[in-house]
Amino acid sequence: MAGNIWVISDTHFNHSNILTSSDKVGKPVRAFSSVEEMNETMIDRWNSVVKPGDKVYHLGDVFFGDKEAFSKLWPRLNGSKRLVVGNHDDVKYLSGGAFFKKVFMWRAFRDFGLLMTHVPVHESTLGEVRFDGRQVINVHGHIHQNPSPEGPYRCVCVEQTNYTPVHIEELTKK
């Protein structure tokens, strides 16, 4: 076992407008009755797998809105947290407080053959990256309920992981 390293993306804590988003057929992207229900579901599912000593890589788009409310919610989540910056993250705020142990623009795990980013990297870029001669898997977020590009991609958006962090070893499996 690799140790307890977990990965998740696009929690959008406190984001009320995400509850009004629908997919192509009109189905709600997140079927929660309130922001509070969404937040509590994500906290419960996070803590159901992540233990206090574990590491968690959040691949961006952590929260929206009230910083004070977020600062009270965030410590309730288990684990030592690291951030791979997303397009909606307030980097100065998130990196300046006690929210994340480390902040990255991307993170490579050579031992697992993983490249973690917020958005899926372009296939031409991914084709150039090799770790010890093997193809790299791009673990990403950003696309919510939509499918990843064809090829070696794994999406860890909460909508695709039942709002639960994924163990790093699961990401190497087909």
Side-chain angles (χ1 to χ4, degrees), residues 19 34-41:
L19 298 180
S34 67
V35 167
E36 293 75 23
E37 180 189 7
M38 177 182 73
N39 288 347
E40 290 304 317
T41 297

Side-chain angles (χ1 to χ4, degrees), residues 78 129 167:
N78 289 338
V129 180
H167 196 276

Side-chain angles (χ1 to χ4, degrees), residues 29-82:
V29 172
R30 294 192 184 187
F32 297 104
S33 61
S34 67
V35 167
E36 293 75 23
E37 180 189 7
M38 177 182 73
N39 288 347
E40 290 304 317
T41 297
M42 288 190 292
I43 291 167
D44 290 346
R45 292 184 184 170
W46 178 305
N47 289 338
S48 74
V49 294
V50 177
K51 303 307 172 217
D54 295 349
K55 291 180 184 175
V56 180
Y57 283 84
H58 194 300
L59 304 189
D61 290 1
V62 179
F63 83 101
F64 277 73
D66 185 350
K67 291 177 179 175
E68 186 177 334
F70 171 73
S71 70
K72 292 176 182 171
L73 174 151
W74 193 245
R76 294 176 54 203
L77 295 164
N78 289 338
S80 175
K81 302 160 197 93
R82 283 106 169 101

Side-chain angles (χ1 to χ4, degrees), residues 101-120:
K101 189 97 169 160
K102 295 181 181 182
V103 177
F104 306 89
M105 292 307 295
W106 54 272
R107 174 67 161 93
F109 278 92
R110 294 182 75 80
D111 292 348
F112 295 100
L114 302 176
L115 177 64
M116 294 186 188
T117 59
H118 178 63
V119 300

Side-chain angles (χ1 to χ4, degrees), residues 81-107:
K81 302 160 197 93
R82 283 106 169 101
L83 174 65
V84 173
V85 176
N87 58 305
H88 291 293
D89 292 325
D90 181 339
V91 180
K92 187 174 181 181
Y93 175 71
L94 290 173
S95 64
F99 302 113
F100 291 96
K101 189 97 169 160
K102 295 181 181 182
V103 177
F104 306 89
M105 292 307 295
W106 54 272
R107 174 67 161 93

Side-chain angles (χ1 to χ4, degrees), residues 137 154 169-174:
I137 298 169
R154 304 286 186 280
E169 288 183 344
E170 289 299 313
L171 297 168
T172 63
K173 298 176 182 175
K174 296 238 177 204

